[in-house]
Amino acid sequence: QQEIDSVVGKDRCPKMEDRKSLPFTDAVIHEVQRFLDIVPFSLPHYALTDISFRGYTIPKVSSSSQCHIHATLCHMTLTDVLSRQDTTIIPLLHSVLKDEKQWATPWTFNPQHFLDHDGNLKKNPAFMPFAAGETCNVTLTNLTALCESVVH
């Protein structure tokens, strides 16, 4: 609250321009997204090339078909799933957001995960609260900017 009061004051609403002056507040927002694990699964993906993952081969998607695995996925073994053509890949974001190799205290709410030693906001490549992949880089900041532009 001190940071918000000193930067924004009590006479106006925060603006996107204030963000660079609110590193702790920004870190808290990032940590809420990481800790709450808002969207545990990412959007479905398909392999564009054959991929080897932990000893399994994930075949690339064929151009003629994009087979979706839904209810049958529960009844298939990992080998069955990965041997199918056009395997749907659904990244489990939880495994990255709670990874002990990526976060100092993954099971504790800790805004320091997003602050450097000088108190500045720092990025972490393991932070993907909504989706995995280059085309799905959506954060609360992007959504806030969109809302702000629509409201004004």
Side-chain angles (χ1 to χ4, degrees), residues 82-122:
L82 295 178
S83 65
R84 290 182 57 131
Q85 281 292 67
D86 305 334
T87 300
T88 303
I89 302 165
I90 303 174
L92 179 61
L93 300 178
H94 173 85
S95 65
V96 178
L97 296 174
K98 300 291 192 282
D99 187 347
E100 294 179 2
K101 294 177 184 171
Q102 300 292 331
W103 309 100
T105 55
W107 299 100
T108 304
F109 184 83
N110 181 4
Q112 296 299 322
H113 287 139
F114 294 96
L115 295 171
D116 65 16
H117 295 297
D118 297 322
N120 298 312
L121 189 71
K122 70 176 181 181

Side-chain angles (χ1 to χ4, degrees), residues 5-134:
D5 289 344
S6 68
V7 173
V8 179
K10 297 185 186 272
D11 299 328
R12 67 175 178 90
C13 291
K15 296 181 180 177
M16 285 305 294
E17 301 85 57
D18 296 324
R19 182 174 170 224
K20 63 182 173 289
S21 301
L22 297 167
F24 184 76
T25 303
D26 209 352
V28 168
I29 291 169
H30 278 73
E31 183 64 0
V32 165
Q33 292 173 304
R34 185 202 70 82
F35 188 73
L36 292 180
D37 207 355
I38 297 167
V39 181
F41 297 101
S42 181
L43 299 172
H45 290 66
Y46 296 93
L48 298 178
T49 61
D50 289 349
I51 299 170
S52 178
F53 179 73
R54 295 184 181 172
Y56 294 94
T57 299
I58 301 172
K60 71 177 181 175
V61 65
S62 69
S63 57
S64 61
S65 168
Q66 290 191 350
C67 175
H68 294 276
I69 302 170
H70 293 291
T72 57
L73 185 61
C74 298
H75 304 290
M76 299 173 75
T77 68
L78 183 60
T79 304
D80 293 336
V81 171
L82 295 178
S83 65
R84 290 182 57 131
Q85 281 292 67
D86 305 334
T87 300
T88 303
I89 302 165
I90 303 174
L92 179 61
L93 300 178
H94 173 85
S95 65
V96 178
L97 296 174
K98 300 291 192 282
D99 187 347
E100 294 179 2
K101 294 177 184 171
Q102 300 292 331
W103 309 100
T105 55
W107 299 100
T108 304
F109 184 83
N110 181 4
Q112 296 299 322
H113 287 139
F114 294 96
L115 295 171
D116 65 16
H117 295 297
D118 297 322
N120 298 312
L121 189 71
K122 70 176 181 181
K123 297 195 183 252
N124 185 322
F127 178 65
M128 49 182 82
F130 298 112
E134 294 177 23

